[in-house]
Amino acid sequence: MTQTAPITQDVLTIPRKLPEGPVNLVGLTRDTLREVLIAHGTPEKQAKMRVNQIWQWIYQWGVRDFHAMTNLAKAYRAELAEKFVVAIPEVVSKQVSADGTRKYLVRIAGGHEVEVVYIPETDRGTLCISSQVGCTLTCSFCHTGTQKLVRNLTAGEIIGQVMLARDDLNEWPKPGEPAGERPRLISNIVLMGMGEPLYNFDNVRDAMKIAMDGEGISLSRRRITLSTSGVVPEIAKTAEEIGCLLAVSFHATTDEVRDTLVPINKKWNIATLLETLRDYPRLSNSERITFEYVMLKGVNDSDADARRLVQLIKGIPAKINLIPFNEWPGSPYQRSDWERIERFADIIYKAGYASPIRTPRGEDIMAACGQLKSATERARKSRAQIEAEVGH
Ligand code: SAH
Ligand code: SF4
């Protein structure tokens, strides 16, 4: 594996305003695409068929040039090219970790940046995508939470992350080739990058609907996992309107500790969260909820915590994913010792729950959970630190 140089550029990138212009079709639901085509002159009678054709070019074969959409009449293609674009976020840089993990720094409209991480494993390939620039929540162990700049990503920017990774991995089937001919490099999607997906519900839903659509990227809803810090009112909606798997950033077994780690707990506490989670498997017709639990030395990693955790989740079909804390510059916690993590895992396992310990991936390129933060933000921060040091 090659390892690329660390990101150094972009310290002074000035947010640019993209020119007003043709409508971007990426991220539109089938219904909206239909409306947009009709509004721009496609006869209503033909619209459904045109949607199907264009959809297949964009999402099944990864084609973005209207002129290459050969089952459409030439004149119609030219018309489309005048009025629309098929545009996805731009990859500013790519880093490849010694373990094969790829991290893409991606620029979206307005000059903002988000990170996308691809994690290859023997039996699967997982793409970790972002839902917001930064995050409005301020979990004390999370790097993303320290980033000030925040905006919701559009549905196009969310599904665009999947599309750009498919480009990089050369995963699109050739036009005409049916889906399912070759093994999938991106077999799973996790919404575990930057941002709280349930604070950007509609765009996340629309993007995931596109990912699941059988005439396109065609990922099963059981291969998509949405991770939330616990936005209770949106959880049932996730079951009903997306139907994907759910992961919850649990991280503590008392409200006192969870209030400090995951401050949204002050709004929806452990009891309220668990009550909602109990309904999720039935509502979404899925098997298990993943409880994510970051292992912080001396904070939430005692035997008593492990036992309380098991008690709390009793009756909920669950898997507990133990995440060794990933440090970031200035982080206020330390990772629990390995023996502690194993002992914690053992208690949970003996109580009848799967308790995998998540191997940190891509640490050398700061691609591991909770380490994501835009390079410009990092650079800005280090510049501020330098200025402080020289006494400005
Ligand atoms: N906002 C959502 C999804 C993004 S965070 C959420 O909080 O669930 C994805 C996962 O990484 C969460 O479980 C989060 O708690 C975890 N995480 C954040 N910072 C981390 C860190 N420094 N080390 C390990 N895991 C971290
Ligand atoms: Fe936001 Fe999730 Fe990080 Fe909390 S852990 S600050 S919710 S991204």
Side-chain angles (χ1 to χ4, degrees):
M1 293 291 161
T2 48
Q3 204 169 328
T4 52
I7 301 160
T8 51
Q9 80 283 21
D10 264 337
V11 179
L12 295 170
T13 301
I14 297 156
R16 0 162 245 174
K17 195 170 174 331
L18 290 183
E20 305 270 323
V23 180
N24 184 11
L25 299 186
V26 177
L28 304 185
T29 61
R30 279 180 180 268
D31 286 347
T32 315
L33 178 56
R34 182 173 181 276
E35 282 161 25
V36 165
L37 291 179
I38 293 170
H40 284 83
T42 300
E44 215 167 317
K45 276 199 300 208
Q46 295 177 9
K48 188 162 182 242
M49 187 166 83
R50 299 291 170 246
V51 167
N52 287 340
Q53 289 168 317
I54 295 169
W55 191 275
Q56 193 168 40
W57 284 109
I58 299 178
Y59 297 115
Q60 188 158 327
W61 299 322
V63 170
R64 308 213 176 108
D65 175 2
F66 291 109
H67 298 289
M69 301 185 178
T70 46
N71 57 358
L72 301 172
K74 265 204 170 135
Y76 186 60
R77 283 185 248 164
E79 228 174 274
L80 291 174
E82 235 172 70
K83 294 170 179 159
F84 306 112
V85 286
V86 182
I88 62 170
E90 167 200 2
V91 177
V92 175
S93 71
K94 170 175 99 175
Q95 289 175 287
V96 183
S97 158
D99 69 14
T101 301
R102 293 170 185 221
K103 182 168 86 170
Y104 308 98
L105 178 69
V106 169
R107 182 166 309 145
I108 56 173
H112 303 300
E113 287 164 354
V114 292
E115 289 173 331
V116 184
V117 179
Y118 175 68
I119 307 153
E121 289 173 275
T122 41
D123 60 339
R124 65 171 75 188
T126 304
L127 192 72
C128 178
I129 61 175
S130 296
S131 55
Q132 298 183 308
V133 180
C135 185
T136 50
L137 300 171
T138 50
C139 302
S140 53
F141 54 89
C142 175
H143 203 197
T144 306
T146 66
Q147 182 170 337
K148 287 225 168 54
L149 204 63
V150 178
R151 91 152 160 83
N152 278 342
L153 299 191
T154 63
E157 289 161 348
I158 298 170
I159 195 64
Q161 296 170 58
V162 179
M163 296 165 76
L164 66 87
R166 284 197 126 193
D167 287 356
D168 184 56
L169 295 164
N170 200 10
E171 197 187 20
W172 296 105
K174 297 261 166 309
E177 184 184 325
E181 286 286 282
R182 23 178 153 174
R184 277 178 178 271
L185 295 171
I186 300 172
S187 62
N188 294 67
I189 294 178
V190 295
L191 281 145
M192 294 187 187
M194 294 163 69
E196 169 48 60
L198 296 190
Y199 275 167
N200 187 13
F201 185 87
D202 291 357
N203 290 327
V204 165
R205 178 202 52 215
D206 289 353
M208 292 307 102
K209 286 242 146 105
I210 294 173
M212 294 185 281
D213 190 298
E215 299 291 304
I217 297 168
S218 197
L219 272 177
S220 147
R221 64 187 184 86
R222 287 164 201 278
R223 291 189 169 270
I224 298 175
T225 304
L226 182 151
S227 175
T228 179
S229 57
V231 184
V232 163
E234 308 292 318
I235 289 178
K237 253 171 86 186
T238 306
E240 282 154 9
E241 297 182 32
I242 309 177
C244 60
L245 301 182
L246 189 73
V248 174
S249 293
F250 208 64
H251 305 321
T253 60
T254 63
D255 281 325
E256 196 190 350
V257 177
R258 197 162 190 269
D259 280 353
T260 64
L261 298 180
V262 189
I264 202 176
N265 194 68
K266 293 182 200 150
K267 204 160 184 183
W268 296 292
N269 66 13
I270 292 180
T272 313
L273 175 60
L274 286 171
E275 206 177 300
T276 304
L277 294 179
R278 276 178 210 286
D279 292 332
Y280 193 88
R282 183 182 48 79
L283 289 178
S284 66
N285 189 25
S286 64
E287 313 87 61
R288 293 188 298 184
I289 291 178
T290 301
F291 284 78
E292 296 164 286
Y293 199 96
V294 63
M295 298 297 293
L296 304 170
K297 194 175 195 160
V299 176
N300 63 356
D301 62 351
S302 69
D303 286 359
D305 278 307
R307 287 193 211 100
R308 262 197 306 269
L309 180 57
V310 170
Q311 280 304 318
L312 283 170
I313 65 173
K314 221 175 206 158
I316 304 177
K319 164 172 107 176
I320 293 144
N321 207 334
L322 299 176
I323 316 173
F325 174 60
N326 293 309
E327 298 194 9
W328 34 273
S331 58
Y333 301 105
Q334 286 175 300
R335 178 182 291 182
S336 306
D337 295 333
W338 202 251
E339 301 84 73
R340 184 91 294 274
I341 300 179
E342 285 188 331
R343 168 94 186 122
F344 197 97
D346 199 47
I347 294 174
I348 293 165
Y349 181 75
K350 290 211 171 103
Y353 292 98
S355 55
I357 301 170
R358 193 185 288 171
T359 328
R361 298 288 302 262
E363 277 186 298
D364 52 343
I365 55 168
M366 290 280 287
C369 296
Q371 291 183 314
L372 304 184
K373 184 164 172 173
S374 311
T376 41
E377 275 281 322
R378 272 201 290 273
R380 221 170 275 149
K381 185 148 193 195
S382 51
R383 266 182 43 204
Q385 280 159 355
I386 293 164
E387 281 171 13
E389 273 170 29
V390 297
H392 282 272

